[in-house]
Amino acid sequence: TELVNALKKGLKDRKNKSLLRNFITVSGRLAEASGREFIHLAKSIINPLMASLSDRMTLVRQDVLDAVEKFSASLGIENIFKRS
């Protein structure tokens, strides 16, 4: 949970684009590596992750799309966006 909290905090900080891109990449890789066991924690990361889709920097937006693809491949997109 500490790792997830650190990821959420990092995803909300949009001043340092290089650092933001690293947080986005780590989020996707974590979802990919953890698989279905990560689903309950993924729901708390997906909102700050998706907020970065509105970033001006094309590379940031592409990183978000790559991470979301990893989330959907590992967890199933229907499980991520399902209302609780």
Side-chain angles (χ1 to χ4, degrees):
T1 357
E2 289 181 35
L3 176 60
V4 173
N5 290 336
L7 284 173
K8 284 193 298 189
K9 185 176 180 181
L11 289 168
K12 290 178 182 177
D13 180 19
R14 294 190 176 80
K15 292 178 185 176
N16 185 337
K17 299 297 180 182
S18 177
L19 192 57
L20 175 62
R21 291 186 66 208
N22 285 327
F23 276 110
I24 292 168
T25 301
V26 168
S27 298
R29 288 182 180 172
L30 184 62
E32 188 177 44
S34 300
R36 292 242 178 232
E37 299 165 4
F38 187 63
I39 197 161
H40 65 284
L41 298 173
K43 291 180 180 184
S44 63
I45 292 177
I46 199 73
N47 286 337
L49 181 67
M50 296 299 283
S52 295
L53 275 175
S54 63
D55 197 277
R56 287 183 179 181
M57 191 174 178
T58 306
L59 292 173
V60 170
R61 293 191 311 262
Q62 186 58 51
D63 289 341
V64 171
L65 293 176
D66 293 342
V68 169
E69 283 181 16
K70 290 178 181 179
F71 272 75
S72 68
S74 299
L75 308 172
I77 200 76
E78 66 281 351
N79 292 322
I80 296 169
F81 293 108
K82 186 187 299 183
R83 292 192 177 244
S84 355

Coordinates of all heavy atoms in Angstrom, one line a residue:
T1 N 0.8 -1.2 0.0 CA 0.0 0.0 0.0 C 0.9 1.3 0.0 O 0.4 2.3 -0.6 CB -0.9 0.0 1.2 OG1 -0.8 -1.1 2.0 CG2 -2.3 0.2 0.8
E2 N 2.0 1.2 0.6 CA 2.9 2.4 0.6 C 3.4 2.7 -0.8 O 3.5 3.9 -1.2 CB 4.1 2.2 1.5 CG 3.8 2.2 3.0 CD 5.0 2.0 3.9 OE1 6.1 2.4 3.5 OE2 4.9 1.3 4.9
L3 N 3.6 1.7 -1.6 CA 4.1 1.9 -3.0 C 2.9 2.5 -3.8 O 3.2 3.4 -4.5 CB 4.5 0.5 -3.6 CG 4.8 0.6 -5.1 CD1 6.0 1.5 -5.3 CD2 5.1 -0.8 -5.6
V4 N 1.7 2.0 -3.6 CA 0.6 2.6 -4.3 C 0.4 4.1 -3.9 O 0.1 4.9 -4.7 CB -0.7 1.8 -4.0 CG1 -1.9 2.4 -4.6 CG2 -0.5 0.4 -4.6
N5 N 0.5 4.4 -2.6 CA 0.4 5.8 -2.2 C 1.4 6.7 -2.8 O 1.2 7.8 -3.2 CB 0.4 5.9 -0.7 CG -0.8 5.3 0.0 OD1 -1.9 5.2 -0.6 ND2 -0.7 4.8 1.2
A6 N 2.7 6.1 -2.9 CA 3.7 6.9 -3.5 C 3.5 7.1 -5.0 O 3.7 8.2 -5.6 CB 5.1 6.2 -3.3
L7 N 2.9 6.1 -5.7 CA 2.6 6.2 -7.1 C 1.5 7.2 -7.3 O 1.5 8.1 -8.2 CB 2.1 4.8 -7.6 CG 3.2 3.8 -7.9 CD1 2.6 2.5 -8.3 CD2 4.1 4.3 -9.0
K8 N 0.4 7.2 -6.4 CA -0.7 8.2 -6.6 C -0.1 9.6 -6.4 O -0.5 10.5 -7.2 CB -1.7 7.9 -5.5 CG -2.6 6.8 -5.8 CD -3.9 6.7 -5.0 CE -3.6 6.5 -3.5 NZ -4.8 6.3 -2.7
K9 N 0.7 9.8 -5.4 CA 1.3 11.1 -5.2 C 2.2 11.6 -6.4 O 2.1 12.7 -6.8 CB 2.2 11.1 -3.9 CG 2.7 12.4 -3.5 CD 3.5 12.3 -2.2 CE 4.0 13.7 -1.8 NZ 4.8 13.7 -0.6
G10 N 3.0 10.6 -6.9 CA 3.8 11.0 -8.1 C 3.0 11.2 -9.3 O 3.4 12.1 -10.1
L11 N 1.9 10.5 -9.5 CA 1.0 10.8 -10.7 C 0.3 12.1 -10.6 O -0.1 12.6 -11.6 CB 0.0 9.6 -10.8 CG 0.6 8.3 -11.2 CD1 -0.4 7.2 -11.0 CD2 1.1 8.3 -12.6
K12 N 0.1 12.6 -9.4 CA -0.6 13.9 -9.3 C 0.4 15.1 -9.5 O -0.1 16.2 -9.7 CB -1.2 14.0 -7.9 CG -2.4 13.1 -7.8 CD -3.1 13.1 -6.4 CE -4.2 12.1 -6.3 NZ -4.8 12.1 -5.0
D13 N 1.7 14.9 -9.3 CA 2.6 15.9 -9.5 C 3.0 16.1 -11.0 O 3.7 15.2 -11.5 CB 3.9 15.7 -8.6 CG 4.9 16.7 -8.8 OD1 4.6 17.9 -9.2 OD2 6.1 16.5 -8.4
R14 N 2.5 17.1 -11.6 CA 2.7 17.2 -13.1 C 3.8 18.3 -13.4 O 3.9 18.7 -14.6 CB 1.4 17.6 -13.7 CG 0.4 16.4 -13.6 CD -0.8 16.6 -14.4 NE -1.6 15.5 -14.3 CZ -2.5 15.2 -13.3 NH1 -2.5 16.0 -12.3 NH2 -3.2 14.1 -13.3
K15 N 4.6 18.7 -12.4 CA 5.6 19.7 -12.7 C 6.8 19.2 -13.4 O 7.3 19.7 -14.4 CB 6.0 20.4 -11.4 CG 4.9 21.3 -10.8 CD 5.3 21.9 -9.6 CE 4.2 22.7 -8.9 NZ 4.5 23.2 -7.6
N16 N 7.3 18.0 -12.9 CA 8.5 17.4 -13.5 C 8.0 16.3 -14.5 O 7.6 15.2 -14.0 CB 9.3 16.8 -12.4 CG 10.6 16.2 -12.9 OD1 10.7 15.8 -14.0 ND2 11.6 16.1 -11.9
K17 N 8.0 16.6 -15.7 CA 7.4 15.6 -16.7 C 8.2 14.3 -16.8 O 7.7 13.3 -17.0 CB 7.4 16.3 -18.1 CG 6.6 17.5 -18.2 CD 5.1 17.2 -17.9 CE 4.3 18.5 -18.0 NZ 2.9 18.3 -17.7
S18 N 9.5 14.4 -16.6 CA 10.3 13.2 -16.7 C 10.0 12.2 -15.5 O 9.8 11.0 -15.7 CB 11.8 13.6 -16.6 OG 12.6 12.4 -16.6
L19 N 9.8 12.8 -14.4 CA 9.4 12.0 -13.2 C 8.0 11.5 -13.4 O 7.8 10.3 -13.1 CB 9.6 12.9 -11.9 CG 9.5 12.1 -10.6 CD1 10.5 11.1 -10.5 CD2 9.6 13.1 -9.5
L20 N 7.1 12.3 -13.9 CA 5.7 11.8 -14.1 C 5.7 10.7 -15.1 O 5.0 9.7 -14.9 CB 4.9 13.0 -14.7 CG 3.5 12.7 -15.1 CD1 2.7 12.2 -13.9 CD2 2.8 13.9 -15.7
R21 N 6.5 10.7 -16.2 CA 6.6 9.6 -17.1 C 7.1 8.4 -16.5 O 6.6 7.3 -16.8 CB 7.5 10.0 -18.3 CG 6.8 11.1 -19.2 CD 7.7 11.4 -20.4 NE 7.6 10.2 -21.2 CZ 8.6 9.8 -22.1 NH1 9.7 10.6 -22.2 NH2 8.5 8.7 -22.8
N22 N 8.0 8.5 -15.6 CA 8.5 7.3 -14.9 C 7.5 6.7 -14.0 O 7.3 5.5 -13.9 CB 9.8 7.6 -14.1 CG 11.0 7.8 -14.9 OD1 11.1 7.2 -16.0 ND2 11.9 8.7 -14.6
F23 N 6.7 7.5 -13.3 CA 5.6 7.0 -12.4 C 4.5 6.3 -13.3 O 4.0 5.3 -12.8 CB 5.0 8.2 -11.6 CG 5.7 8.5 -10.3 CD1 6.4 9.7 -10.2 CD2 5.7 7.6 -9.3 CE1 7.1 10.0 -9.0 CE2 6.4 7.9 -8.1 CZ 7.1 9.1 -8.0
I24 N 4.2 6.9 -14.4 CA 3.3 6.3 -15.3 C 3.8 4.9 -15.8 O 3.0 3.9 -15.7 CB 3.0 7.2 -16.5 CG1 2.2 8.4 -16.0 CG2 2.2 6.4 -17.6 CD1 2.1 9.5 -17.1
T25 N 5.0 4.8 -16.2 CA 5.6 3.6 -16.6 C 5.6 2.5 -15.5 O 5.3 1.4 -15.8 CB 7.0 3.8 -17.2 OG1 7.0 4.8 -18.2 CG2 7.7 2.5 -17.7
V26 N 6.0 2.9 -14.3 CA 6.1 2.0 -13.2 C 4.7 1.5 -12.9 O 4.5 0.3 -12.6 CB 6.7 2.6 -12.0 CG1 6.5 1.8 -10.7 CG2 8.2 2.9 -12.2
S27 N 3.7 2.3 -13.0 CA 2.3 1.9 -12.7 C 1.9 0.8 -13.7 O 1.3 -0.2 -13.3 CB 1.3 3.1 -12.8 OG 1.6 4.1 -11.9
G28 N 2.2 1.0 -14.9 CA 1.8 0.0 -15.9 C 2.6 -1.3 -15.7 O 2.0 -2.4 -15.8
R29 N 3.8 -1.2 -15.4 CA 4.7 -2.4 -15.2 C 4.2 -3.2 -13.9 O 4.3 -4.4 -13.9 CB 6.1 -2.0 -15.1 CG 6.7 -1.6 -16.5 CD 8.2 -1.3 -16.4 NE 8.7 -1.0 -17.7 CZ 9.9 -0.5 -17.9 NH1 10.7 -0.4 -16.9 NH2 10.2 -0.2 -19.1
L30 N 3.8 -2.4 -12.9 CA 3.4 -3.0 -11.7 C 2.1 -3.8 -12.0 O 1.9 -4.9 -11.5 CB 3.1 -2.0 -10.6 CG 2.7 -2.5 -9.3 CD1 3.8 -3.4 -8.7 CD2 2.5 -1.3 -8.3
A31 N 1.2 -3.2 -12.7 CA -0.1 -3.9 -13.1 C 0.2 -5.2 -13.9 O -0.4 -6.2 -13.7 CB -1.0 -3.0 -13.8
E32 N 1.1 -5.0 -14.8 CA 1.5 -6.2 -15.7 C 2.2 -7.3 -14.9 O 1.8 -8.5 -15.1 CB 2.5 -5.6 -16.7 CG 2.8 -6.6 -17.8 CD 3.7 -6.0 -18.8 OE1 4.7 -5.2 -18.5 OE2 3.5 -6.2 -20.0
A33 N 3.0 -6.9 -13.9 CA 3.7 -8.0 -13.2 C 2.9 -8.6 -12.1 O 3.0 -9.8 -11.8 CB 5.0 -7.3 -12.5
S34 N 1.9 -7.8 -11.5 CA 1.1 -8.3 -10.4 C -0.1 -9.1 -10.9 O -0.6 -10.0 -10.1 CB 0.7 -7.2 -9.5 OG 1.8 -6.5 -9.0
G35 N -0.6 -8.8 -12.0 CA -1.8 -9.5 -12.5 C -3.0 -9.2 -11.7 O -3.2 -8.1 -11.1
R36 N -3.9 -10.1 -11.6 CA -5.2 -10.0 -11.0 C -5.1 -9.6 -9.5 O -6.0 -9.1 -8.9 CB -6.0 -11.2 -11.1 CG -6.5 -11.5 -12.5 CD -7.9 -11.4 -12.6 NE -8.3 -11.6 -14.0 CZ -9.2 -10.8 -14.6 NH1 -9.7 -9.8 -14.0 NH2 -9.5 -11.0 -15.9
E37 N -4.0 -10.0 -8.8 CA -3.8 -9.7 -7.4 C -3.7 -8.1 -7.2 O -3.9 -7.7 -6.0 CB -2.5 -10.3 -6.9 CG -2.6 -11.8 -7.0 CD -1.2 -12.4 -6.9 OE1 -0.2 -11.7 -6.6 OE2 -1.1 -13.7 -7.0
F38 N -3.5 -7.4 -8.2 CA -3.3 -6.0 -8.1 C -4.6 -5.2 -8.3 O -4.7 -4.0 -8.1 CB -2.3 -5.5 -9.2 CG -1.9 -4.1 -9.1 CD1 -1.2 -3.6 -8.0 CD2 -2.2 -3.2 -10.2 CE1 -0.8 -2.3 -8.0 CE2 -1.7 -1.9 -10.1 CZ -1.1 -1.4 -9.0
I39 N -5.7 -5.9 -8.5 CA -7.0 -5.2 -8.9 C -7.5 -4.2 -7.9 O -7.9 -3.1 -8.2 CB -8.0 -6.2 -9.4 CG1 -9.1 -5.5 -10.2 CG2 -8.6 -7.0 -8.2 CD1 -9.9 -6.4 -11.0
H40 N -7.5 -4.6 -6.6 CA -8.0 -3.7 -5.6 C -7.2 -2.4 -5.4 O -7.7 -1.4 -5.0 CB -8.2 -4.4 -4.3 CG -7.0 -4.9 -3.6 ND1 -6.3 -6.0 -4.1 CD2 -6.3 -4.4 -2.6 CE1 -5.2 -6.2 -3.3 NE2 -5.2 -5.2 -2.4
L41 N -5.9 -2.5 -5.7 CA -5.0 -1.3 -5.6 C -5.0 -0.5 -6.9 O -4.9 0.7 -6.9 CB -3.6 -1.8 -5.3 CG -3.4 -2.5 -3.9 CD1 -2.0 -3.0 -3.8 CD2 -3.7 -1.5 -2.8
A42 N -5.3 -1.2 -8.0 CA -5.3 -0.5 -9.3 C -6.4 0.5 -9.4 O -6.2 1.6 -10.0 CB -5.4 -1.5 -10.4
K43 N -7.5 0.3 -8.7 CA -8.6 1.2 -8.8 C -8.2 2.6 -8.2 O -8.8 3.6 -8.6 CB -9.8 0.6 -8.1 CG -10.4 -0.5 -8.9 CD -11.6 -1.1 -8.3 CE -12.1 -2.3 -9.1 NZ -13.4 -2.8 -8.6
S44 N -7.3 2.6 -7.3 CA -7.0 3.9 -6.7 C -5.9 4.6 -7.5 O -5.7 5.8 -7.3 CB -6.4 3.7 -5.2 OG -5.3 2.9 -5.2
I45 N -5.2 3.9 -8.4 CA -4.2 4.5 -9.2 C -4.8 5.0 -10.6 O -4.3 6.0 -11.2 CB -3.1 3.5 -9.5 CG1 -2.3 3.2 -8.3 CG2 -2.1 4.0 -10.6 CD1 -1.2 2.2 -8.4
I46 N -5.8 4.4 -11.0 CA -6.3 4.6 -12.4 C -6.8 6.1 -12.6 O -6.6 6.7 -13.6 CB -7.4 3.6 -12.8 CG1 -7.5 3.6 -14.3 CG2 -8.7 3.8 -12.2 CD1 -6.4 3.0 -15.1
N47 N -7.5 6.7 -11.6 CA -8.0 8.0 -11.7 C -6.8 9.1 -11.9 O -6.9 9.9 -12.9 CB -8.9 8.4 -10.6 CG -10.2 7.8 -10.7 OD1 -10.6 7.4 -11.7 ND2 -10.9 7.7 -9.6
P48 N -5.8 9.1 -11.1 CA -4.7 10.0 -11.3 C -4.0 9.7 -12.6 O -3.4 10.6 -13.3 CB -3.8 9.9 -10.1 CG -4.4 8.9 -9.2 CD -5.6 8.4 -9.8
L49 N -3.9 8.4 -13.0 CA -3.3 8.0 -14.2 C -4.0 8.6 -15.4 O -3.4 9.2 -16.3 CB -3.2 6.5 -14.3 CG -2.5 5.9 -15.5 CD1 -1.1 6.2 -15.5 CD2 -2.7 4.4 -15.6
M50 N -5.3 8.4 -15.4 CA -6.2 8.9 -16.5 C -6.2 10.5 -16.6 O -6.3 11.0 -17.7 CB -7.6 8.4 -16.4 CG -7.7 6.9 -16.5 SD -7.1 6.3 -18.1 CE -8.5 6.7 -19.1
A51 N -6.0 11.1 -15.5 CA -5.9 12.6 -15.5 C -4.8 13.1 -16.4 O -4.8 14.2 -16.9 CB -5.8 13.1 -14.1
S52 N -3.7 12.3 -16.5 CA -2.6 12.7 -17.3 C -2.8 12.6 -18.8 O -2.0 13.1 -19.6 CB -1.3 11.9 -16.9 OG -1.0 12.1 -15.6
L53 N -4.0 12.1 -19.2 CA -4.3 12.1 -20.6 C -4.5 13.5 -21.2 O -4.5 13.7 -22.4 CB -5.6 11.2 -20.9 CG -5.4 9.8 -21.0 CD1 -6.7 9.1 -21.1 CD2 -4.5 9.4 -22.2
S54 N -4.8 14.4 -20.3 CA -5.0 15.8 -20.8 C -3.7 16.6 -20.8 O -3.7 17.8 -21.1 CB -6.0 16.5 -19.9 OG -5.5 16.6 -18.6
D55 N -2.6 16.0 -20.5 CA -1.3 16.7 -20.5 C -0.9 17.2 -21.9 O -1.3 16.6 -22.9 CB -0.2 15.8 -20.0 CG 1.0 16.5 -19.6 OD1 1.9 16.8 -20.5 OD2 1.2 16.8 -18.4
R56 N -0.3 18.3 -22.0 CA 0.2 18.9 -23.3 C 1.2 18.0 -24.0 O 1.3 18.0 -25.2 CB 0.7 20.3 -23.1 CG -0.3 21.3 -22.7 CD 0.4 22.7 -22.7 NE -0.5 23.7 -22.4 CZ -0.2 25.0 -22.2 NH1 1.0 25.3 -22.3 NH2 -1.1 25.8 -22.0
M57 N 2.0 17.4 -23.2 CA 3.2 16.6 -23.8 C 2.7 15.3 -24.4 O 2.1 14.5 -23.7 CB 4.2 16.4 -22.7 CG 5.5 15.9 -23.1 SD 6.6 15.8 -21.7 CE 8.1 15.1 -22.5
T58 N 2.9 15.1 -25.6 CA 2.5 13.9 -26.3 C 3.1 12.7 -25.7 O 2.4 11.7 -25.6 CB 2.9 14.0 -27.8 OG1 2.4 15.2 -28.4 CG2 2.4 12.9 -28.6
L59 N 4.3 12.7 -25.3 CA 5.0 11.5 -24.7 C 4.3 11.1 -23.4 O 4.2 9.9 -23.2 CB 6.5 11.8 -24.5 CG 7.3 11.9 -25.7 CD1 8.7 12.3 -25.4 CD2 7.3 10.7 -26.5
V60 N 3.8 12.0 -22.6 CA 3.1 11.7 -21.4 C 1.8 11.0 -21.8 O 1.5 10.0 -21.2 CB 2.8 12.9 -20.5 CG1 1.9 12.6 -19.4 CG2 4.1 13.5 -20.0
R61 N 1.1 11.5 -22.7 CA -0.2 10.9 -23.1 C 0.0 9.5 -23.7 O -0.7 8.6 -23.4 CB -0.9 11.8 -24.1 CG -1.4 13.1 -23.6 CD -2.3 13.9 -24.5 NE -1.8 14.0 -25.9 CZ -1.2 15.0 -26.4 NH1 -1.0 16.1 -25.6 NH2 -0.8 15.1 -27.6
Q62 N 1.1 9.3 -24.4 CA 1.4 8.0 -25.0 C 1.7 7.0 -23.9 O 1.3 5.9 -23.9 CB 2.5 8.1 -26.0 CG 2.7 6.8 -26.7 CD 1.5 6.2 -27.5 OE1 0.9 7.0 -28.2 NE2 1.2 5.0 -27.2
D63 N 2.5 7.5 -22.9 CA 2.8 6.6 -21.8 C 1.6 6.2 -21.0 O 1.5 5.1 -20.6 CB 3.8 7.4 -20.8 CG 5.2 7.5 -21.4 OD1 5.5 6.8 -22.3 OD2 5.9 8.4 -20.9
V64 N 0.6 7.1 -20.9 CA -0.6 6.8 -20.2 C -1.4 5.7 -21.0 O -1.9 4.7 -20.4 CB -1.5 8.0 -20.0 CG1 -2.9 7.6 -19.5 CG2 -0.9 9.0 -19.0
L65 N -1.5 5.9 -22.3 CA -2.1 4.9 -23.1 C -1.4 3.5 -23.0 O -2.1 2.5 -22.9 CB -2.2 5.3 -24.6 CG -3.1 6.5 -24.8 CD1 -3.0 7.0 -26.3 CD2 -4.5 6.2 -24.5
D66 N -0.1 3.5 -23.0 CA 0.6 2.2 -22.8 C 0.3 1.6 -21.5 O 0.1 0.4 -21.4 CB 2.1 2.5 -23.0 CG 2.5 2.9 -24.4 OD1 1.7 2.7 -25.3 OD2 3.6 3.4 -24.5
A67 N 0.3 2.4 -20.4 CA 0.0 1.9 -19.1 C -1.4 1.3 -19.0 O -1.6 0.3 -18.4 CB 0.2 3.0 -18.0
V68 N -2.4 2.0 -19.6 CA -3.8 1.5 -19.6 C -3.9 0.2 -20.3 O -4.6 -0.7 -19.9 CB -4.7 2.6 -20.1 CG1 -6.1 2.1 -20.3 CG2 -4.8 3.8 -19.2
E69 N -3.2 0.1 -21.4 CA -3.2 -1.2 -22.2 C -2.6 -2.3 -21.3 O -3.2 -3.4 -21.3 CB -2.3 -1.1 -23.4 CG -3.0 -0.3 -24.5 CD -2.2 -0.2 -25.8 OE1 -1.2 -1.0 -25.9 OE2 -2.5 0.6 -26.6
K70 N -1.6 -2.0 -20.5 CA -1.1 -3.0 -19.6 C -2.1 -3.4 -18.5 O -2.2 -4.5 -18.1 CB 0.3 -2.6 -19.0 CG 1.4 -2.6 -20.0 CD 2.7 -2.1 -19.5 CE 3.7 -2.1 -20.6 NZ 5.0 -1.6 -20.1
F71 N -2.7 -2.4 -18.0 CA -3.8 -2.6 -17.0 C -4.9 -3.5 -17.5 O -5.3 -4.4 -16.9 CB -4.4 -1.2 -16.5 CG -3.7 -0.6 -15.4 CD1 -2.5 0.1 -15.6 CD2 -4.2 -0.6 -14.1 CE1 -1.8 0.7 -14.5 CE2 -3.6 0.0 -13.0 CZ -2.4 0.7 -13.2
S72 N -5.3 -3.1 -18.7 CA -6.4 -3.9 -19.3 C -6.0 -5.3 -19.7 O -6.8 -6.2 -19.5 CB -7.0 -3.2 -20.5 OG -6.1 -3.2 -21.6
A73 N -4.8 -5.5 -20.1 CA -4.3 -6.9 -20.4 C -4.2 -7.7 -19.2 O -4.5 -8.9 -19.2 CB -3.0 -6.8 -21.2
S74 N -3.8 -7.1 -18.1 CA -3.5 -7.9 -16.9 C -4.8 -8.1 -16.0 O -5.0 -9.1 -15.4 CB -2.5 -7.2 -16.0 OG -1.3 -7.1 -16.7
L75 N -5.6 -7.0 -16.0 CA -6.7 -7.0 -15.0 C -8.1 -7.1 -15.7 O -9.1 -7.4 -15.1 CB -6.7 -5.8 -14.2 CG -5.4 -5.5 -13.5 CD1 -5.4 -4.1 -12.8 CD2 -5.1 -6.5 -12.5
G76 N -8.1 -6.8 -17.0 CA -9.4 -6.7 -17.7 C -10.0 -5.3 -17.5 O -10.2 -4.9 -16.4
I77 N -10.2 -4.6 -18.6 CA -10.6 -3.2 -18.6 C -12.0 -3.1 -17.9 O -12.2 -2.1 -17.2 CB -10.6 -2.6 -20.0 CG1 -10.6 -1.1 -19.9 CG2 -11.8 -3.1 -20.8 CD1 -9.3 -0.5 -19.6
E78 N -12.8 -4.1 -18.0 CA -14.1 -4.0 -17.3 C -14.0 -4.0 -15.8 O -14.8 -3.5 -15.1 CB -15.0 -5.2 -17.8 CG -14.6 -6.6 -17.4 CD -13.4 -7.2 -18.2 OE1 -13.1 -6.6 -19.2 OE2 -12.9 -8.2 -17.8
N79 N -12.9 -4.6 -15.3 CA -12.7 -4.7 -13.8 C -12.2 -3.3 -13.3 O -12.4 -3.0 -12.1 CB -11.8 -5.8 -13.4 CG -12.4 -7.1 -13.7 OD1 -13.6 -7.3 -13.4 ND2 -11.6 -8.0 -14.2
I80 N -11.5 -2.6 -14.1 CA -10.8 -1.4 -13.7 C -11.9 -0.3 -13.6 O -11.9 0.5 -12.6 CB -9.7 -1.0 -14.6 CG1 -8.6 -2.0 -14.6 CG2 -9.2 0.4 -14.3 CD1 -7.6 -1.8 -15.7
F81 N -12.7 -0.2 -14.6 CA -13.7 0.9 -14.6 C -15.1 0.6 -14.1 O -16.0 1.4 -14.1 CB -13.8 1.4 -16.0 CG -12.6 2.1 -16.5 CD1 -11.8 1.5 -17.5 CD2 -12.2 3.3 -16.0 CE1 -10.6 2.1 -17.9 CE2 -11.0 3.9 -16.4 CZ -10.2 3.3 -17.4
K82 N -15.2 -0.6 -13.5 CA -16.5 -1.0 -12.9 C -16.8 -0.2 -11.7 O -15.9 0.1 -10.9 CB -16.4 -2.5 -12.5 CG -17.7 -3.0 -12.0 CD -17.6 -4.4 -11.4 CE -17.0 -5.4 -12.5 NZ -16.9 -6.8 -11.9
R83 N -18.0 0.3 -11.6 CA -18.4 1.1 -10.4 C -18.5 0.2 -9.2 O -19.0 -0.9 -9.3 CB -19.7 1.8 -10.6 CG -19.6 2.9 -11.6 CD -20.8 3.7 -11.6 NE -20.6 4.8 -12.6 CZ -20.6 6.1 -12.2 NH1 -20.7 6.4 -11.0 NH2 -20.4 7.0 -13.1
S84 N -18.0 0.7 -8.0 CA -18.1 -0.1 -6.8 C -19.2 0.3 -6.0 O -19.7 1.3 -6.0 CB -16.8 0.0 -6.0 OG -15.8 0.7 -6.5

